[in-house]
Amino acid sequence: MTERKPPGVPFESWVDKQIRDAQGRGDFDRLPGRGEPLPPELSTPYDELWWIKRKMAREGLSALPPSLALRKEAEDTLTAAYAAPSERAVRKLITDVNVKIRDMMFRPPPGPPLGMKPYDVEEVVRQWRERRAEKKPDSELQ
């Protein structure tokens, strides 16, 4: 596109004509992504930190302070423990997260306080058993 916009022609009409001509020549046929939907981030409002967020997601980094990240991990672990297939798996999950909670409790966190204490393994196992018993049909309990 080296030609200049002729005088008296509206800019929009001239640009539309250039695009139509390029389509007719097949200039857009070999572009990457042709025929694919636009990425979802194009439909969201503009975010000045988009490139930082994309880089952090690609590198597997978290922006949460360590204590908040551990709190989230502990909640996820508790959910996973309730869905675990065996009592042994429940005990392992809870014991592992308790080690991390105790470690965070005994050293000053760089962010907000953790505000948690280790889970009672026996209590979590008891709740796991109750939930498992609720899910079984009556025919399996007999």
Side-chain angles (χ1 to χ4, degrees):
M1 183 171 97
T2 57
E3 66 183 82
R4 297 175 85 66
K5 180 182 87 62
V9 175
F11 186 75
E12 188 174 334
S13 299
W14 181 74
V15 169
D16 290 338
K17 180 184 179 314
Q18 298 298 315
I19 292 172
R20 276 194 311 277
D21 291 346
Q23 285 174 328
R25 290 190 306 266
D27 292 349
F28 301 128
D29 292 346
R30 292 172 300 282
L31 292 176
R34 180 179 184 269
E36 297 176 13
L38 293 174
E41 59 265 10
L42 292 180
S43 62
T44 58
Y46 179 72
D47 182 8
E48 293 177 358
L49 302 176
W50 67 268
W51 62 276
I52 294 173
K53 291 177 182 176
R54 188 177 295 169
K55 172 78 172 168
M56 289 180 72
R58 192 172 49 242
E59 299 292 329
L61 301 173
S62 172
L64 287 177
S67 58
L68 294 181
L70 180 56
R71 182 179 290 224
K72 174 73 172 117
E73 181 183 349
E75 291 171 1
D76 293 345
T77 300
L78 190 58
T79 302
Y82 289 143
S86 68
E87 185 175 317
R88 182 178 175 199
V90 174
R91 290 180 184 280
K92 170 130 179 60
L93 287 166
I94 297 301
T95 301
D96 290 348
V97 80
N98 278 347
V99 168
K100 293 178 182 180
I101 291 172
R102 283 189 188 95
D103 189 40
M104 182 71 73
M105 286 173 57
F106 295 122
R107 63 183 161 101
L114 179 61
M116 290 186 78
K117 61 181 185 177
Y119 293 118
D120 180 352
V121 176
E122 296 305 319
E123 177 63 19
V124 173
V125 168
R126 185 189 63 73
Q127 290 175 4
W128 173 81
R129 286 179 185 149
E130 288 175 2
R131 289 173 182 232
R132 192 167 175 98
E134 290 172 3
K135 289 183 182 177
K136 287 187 179 180
D138 292 333
S139 61
E140 287 186 29
L141 293 176
Q142 296 174 355

